[in-house]
Amino acid sequence: MAFKTFARQLDTRLQTFCDVYFDQFTNALVNYTKPVIKVDIVKWKGNGYISQRDLDKSYFLLITGFLGKNSIADGDTSNQWTLEDQEAILDFGEAVVSNVYEIHDEKQLGTFVCPGFMQLGEFPEIWVNLEIAPKLMTFQFQLEVKFIQSDTEV
């Protein structure tokens, strides 16, 4: 199935991006744990036929990035999140979104190949959560991935 190929390529891409992003943080001497990105499948939607034999489909993914703060002591319940921390998780989220949307350019260049993949949906909004778990802040965004699938593949 084409979507499985896309999901695996996206996950590999994001895990590689995490390693690069952490190196940038380490070079800047910011006291955060190694970032983590998780990709979850939220839903599938058939948008109807765009031609006699081709079905327009959308998959919706929830992408979550986690960034921990090392300087908060275990058991510390006071608010240790600064404006700089909030900017850091937002910057991380924006960097991930930009990296994901580079797929459009790579598709045009022929370096990103996935059968049936048409495009990504509109640029998403990012939600930020501070201390969703102790010492952990996150960002999330929903990503629409559009495919064309022949009805003989259904």
Side-chain angles (χ1 to χ4, degrees), residues 64-77:
T64 306
F66 301 89
L67 193 59
K69 189 171 180 185
N70 291 332
S71 61
I72 298 175
D74 288 337
D76 187 351
T77 57

Side-chain angles (χ1 to χ4, degrees), residues 134-152:
K135 304 195 292 187
L136 194 64
M137 56 185 175
T138 65
F139 73 84
Q140 291 183 313
F141 67 92
Q142 187 170 310
L143 178 67
E144 180 183 13
V145 184
K146 297 181 180 186
F147 279 84
I148 295 176
Q149 181 176 359
S150 171
D151 63 359
T152 57

Side-chain angles (χ1 to χ4, degrees), residues 87-148:
E87 291 168 346
I89 193 67
L90 188 58
D91 287 347
F92 181 34
E94 287 182 298
V96 169
V97 170
S98 294
N99 182 274
V100 168
Y101 275 79
E102 287 175 7
I103 289 172
H104 283 289
D105 296 335
E106 294 168 14
K107 183 181 179 208
Q108 293 295 324
L109 294 171
T111 57
F112 183 86
V113 179
C114 181
F117 170 69
M118 280 187 359
Q119 66 185 49
L120 301 175
E122 64 183 51
F123 206 75
E125 60 182 326
I126 298 174
W127 292 274
V128 173
N129 298 299
L130 299 178
E131 200 150 346
I132 197 155
K135 304 195 292 187
L136 194 64
M137 56 185 175
T138 65
F139 73 84
Q140 291 183 313
F141 67 92
Q142 187 170 310
L143 178 67
E144 180 183 13
V145 184
K146 297 181 180 186
F147 279 84
I148 295 176

Side-chain angles (χ1 to χ4, degrees), residues 27-39:
N27 291 340
L29 300 176
V30 178
N31 195 21
Y32 294 111
T33 60
K34 182 177 179 181
V36 174
I37 298 177
K38 185 176 179 200
V39 178

Side-chain angles (χ1 to χ4, degrees), residues 44-63:
W44 169 85
K45 179 177 111 176
N47 300 319
Y49 283 88
I50 58 173
S51 67
Q52 187 174 8
R53 304 299 311 224
D54 293 323
L55 179 64
D56 181 12
K57 298 169 68 171
S58 291
Y59 293 89
F60 293 85
L61 306 176
L62 183 64
I63 298 178

